[in-house]
Amino acid sequence: MSEPDVLFCLHFLGGSARSWERLARALDGVPFCVPVDLPGFGDAAGTTGYSVAAMADHVAARIRTRAPARFGLVGHSMGAKVALALARRSEDGEPGLTGLTDLILISGSPPSPEPIPDERRAKMLAWIDADPETRRREARAFVTANVGQPLDAADEDRAVDDVLRAAPAAWTAWLKSGGREDWGRWIGVLRTPALILAGSADADLGEDAQAALMAPHLAHHRRVTVAGVGHLLPLERPAILAERLRAHFGDRPGQADPDAPAVPPAYAALIDSERVNSRLREALGARAAPDDPAYRPTALDPVELAILRAAMGRVVPVPNLDLAARLDRRLASGEGDGWRFSALPPDADAYRAALRTLDAAARAAHGRPFVILGGNDQDTLLTLCERAELTVPDMLGGRLDADRMRFWFEDLRADAVRLWLGHPAALARIGFSGIGAGGDRDGEIADGLPGFRAVGLDSPEAWEPRAAYEGTAR
């Protein structure tokens, strides 16, 4: 698949269509860039409608006017959140938006509320309606604080002028409302091939934020961190951005058929034999099916699912098996083992609270999200859960105390083991032959009918599968 015909480019807070001029020159028309001024910014400073939905409507109208057969969306910071909303509408089949081929997200505002400290937000709000001299001074400070290295004087002046052209109402609306909107569950997990870019010197929306808050929403993505760059990559390094775009179009993140744990031929033959009840055979077939890499959770949100995947990977590391997605389906169905710790809320609520608490504990201990930590650090936090010694920082989103985290982690381990041992590959690994206790025919055990005849210790029958490794009892 080649590059899209058109790239619709959506700018950052305080930017404008002019923010993309250097990228357009670097791409030299392939693909063709169509920068869009979002409502309240640039030449659209007089246009109202500052919510994410209103901005997406504004861009959708531009896309329909041009009616490209194949197009990509490039969203920078604020523009990325708008691009994600448009991508969901495209994947849901909205007329005029179905030609989307690529998502390029640069220092993107995630579907969930932006992780900007309150004091910084308050400072940005304080000067937007001030006197002209104060506004120009603070606008320049805003631009210089968001780059890794100083811009050329002309580029910096244009960026400052764009900030000053923005309607104060639009600036205020994004900081107070738009950036805080939570679109996580509605956007869910997108299948569109995506490239996530971040600057190594970006304080709030850098590589950690992109990995923890953006990547869980994109089933087929590649993440790139550009060294020495702050928040304004299109202004700081347009040539590098163009190079990364071309590389992405030449080698999009794959959408190959998903893998699944292999079921040995002998065990697969047992499952297909008359010794196995047809209802059980159907259930085992469903468990053996590959997991959808774009699974869209319902009990959890995509960020919580990513945390659960990381935790499950430390408890029961099984390649090519998405235990977290399978648990989410179970939580959404309301099915369970019929009991729970009285100290915990219902299962789905307990998992949501515990996963957010685990992430908050990781941020407090290491200054990074749980999904970013190395295996040893993740294991340490989970061990603290097991011992009821986890430090729970309320101000970072902790929702369960240390005792309840211990109960939850016991549930997690039981759920992980139960889900794995229910898979035919695991049953084959331990040589479990109980599935062959009877088929669909009734009657006494006799030659030619399913069942066991030899029931003595260490006396397996000829049809029973062997365990996949030495020393395992049947």
Side-chain angles (χ1 to χ4, degrees):
M1 183 184 294
S2 61
E3 67 275 350
D5 302 320
V6 177
L7 289 178
F8 291 93
C9 301
L10 315 181
H11 58 78
F12 66 102
L13 175 67
S16 77
R18 299 195 308 181
S19 305
W20 302 104
E21 289 178 355
R22 293 182 64 195
L23 173 64
R25 288 197 297 269
L27 288 173
D28 196 22
V30 184
F32 186 74
C33 290
V34 178
V36 180
D37 281 313
L38 296 173
F41 300 90
D43 291 340
T47 302
T48 58
Y50 309 137
S51 68
V52 173
M55 289 183 174
D57 287 341
H58 176 84
V59 178
R62 288 289 304 275
I63 295 172
R64 292 191 181 97
T65 297
R66 196 171 186 95
R70 294 164 43 81
F71 69 92
L73 288 169
V74 183
H76 180 196
S77 191
M78 174 179 74
K81 194 161 191 164
V82 179
L84 289 164
L86 288 163
R88 169 46 60 203
R89 289 163 61 169
S90 172
E91 293 194 11
D92 287 347
E94 184 170 318
L97 300 180
T98 54
L100 179 65
T101 62
D102 298 273
L103 267 174
I104 312 298
L105 305 167
I106 306 165
S107 301
S109 177
S112 54
E114 283 185 346
I116 297 178
D118 289 341
E119 59 272 16
R120 188 173 304 158
R121 192 188 309 271
K123 182 178 180 181
M124 292 169 67
L125 287 166
W127 58 263
I128 195 64
D129 285 317
D131 61 88
E133 182 180 350
T134 298
R135 291 184 74 240
R136 179 162 290 278
R137 183 182 67 250
E138 293 296 336
R140 190 170 297 279
F142 170 76
V143 171
T144 58
N146 278 284
V147 295
Q149 298 177 3
L151 299 174
D152 291 342
D155 291 331
E156 182 179 303
D157 288 343
R158 283 164 64 84
V160 171
D161 287 342
D162 276 344
V163 173
L164 294 173
R165 283 200 298 163
W171 177 276
T172 300
W174 180 259
L175 291 170
K176 287 187 173 181
S177 179
R180 288 174 159 171
E181 292 180 24
D182 192 345
W183 289 70
R185 287 188 175 274
W186 182 75
I187 288 172
V189 179
L190 299 165
R191 297 178 183 273
T192 303
L195 174 63
I196 303 172
L197 295 128
S200 65
D202 191 335
D204 298 319
L205 292 173
E207 57 182 334
D208 281 5
Q210 299 307 312
L213 302 177
M214 184 69 80
H217 294 275
L218 302 162
H220 309 291
H221 72 272
R222 183 176 292 112
R223 288 189 290 114
V224 174
T225 300
V226 183
V229 170
H231 188 63
L232 304 182
L233 176 59
L235 299 179
E236 297 178 71
R237 299 289 188 276
I240 291 178
L241 177 54
E243 177 185 313
R244 292 297 184 179
L245 290 180
R246 293 191 186 100
H248 167 78
F249 297 138
D251 182 22
R252 287 177 173 85
Q255 299 189 51
D257 292 337
D259 293 324
V263 179
Y267 206 81
L270 171 60
I271 293 173
D272 289 338
S273 74
E274 68 172 1
R275 291 184 175 278
V276 178
N277 179 277
S278 58
R279 291 177 59 190
L280 176 57
R281 184 183 303 115
E282 182 179 357
L284 292 172
R287 295 176 193 171
D291 293 304
D292 182 0
Y295 172 75
R296 191 174 178 181
T298 51
L300 307 175
D301 67 29
V303 171
E304 291 160 350
L305 183 66
I307 301 168
L308 180 59
R309 282 176 173 145
M312 285 281 204
R314 304 310 303 171
V315 174
V316 181
V318 183
N320 303 320
L321 184 62
D322 193 347
L323 295 176
R326 293 175 182 229
L327 178 56
D328 178 81
R329 281 196 296 270
R330 199 212 76 190
L331 293 172
S333 72
E335 297 177 357
D337 52 18
W339 75 281
R340 63 180 172 86
F341 289 106
S342 61
L344 292 177
D347 288 348
D349 294 335
Y351 265 93
R352 285 190 290 267
L355 292 166
R356 292 293 182 175
T357 300
L358 183 62
D359 191 57
R363 292 172 185 272
H366 301 281
R368 307 188 77 190
F370 183 80
V371 297
I372 301 300
L373 299 181
N376 289 340
D377 289 333
Q378 290 178 340
D379 289 348
T380 297
L381 289 168
L382 293 173
T383 299
L384 293 173
C385 288
E386 180 186 19
R387 297 173 179 172
E389 296 175 359
L390 188 72
T391 300
V392 181
D394 293 338
M395 73 294 299
L396 293 177
R399 302 176 187 180
L400 298 181
D401 60 23
D403 278 337
R404 288 187 292 172
M405 287 298 289
R406 173 170 62 89
F407 294 141
W408 165 76
F409 189 52
E410 185 171 329
D411 274 345
L412 172 67
R413 285 173 287 168
D415 288 335
V417 172
R418 184 181 298 112
L419 286 165
W420 167 228
L421 287 179
H423 194 283
L427 298 177
R429 182 173 174 81
I430 63 174
F432 180 73
S433 56
I435 63 170
D440 293 318
R441 290 185 290 171
D442 296 326
E444 297 180 357
I445 303 295
D447 289 340
L449 292 178
F452 291 88
R453 299 184 66 185
V455 293
L457 183 65
D458 292 330
S459 52
E461 300 192 37
W463 61 266
E464 291 187 75
R466 296 178 62 86
Y469 59 95
E470 294 293 332
T472 302
R474 65 182 173 99

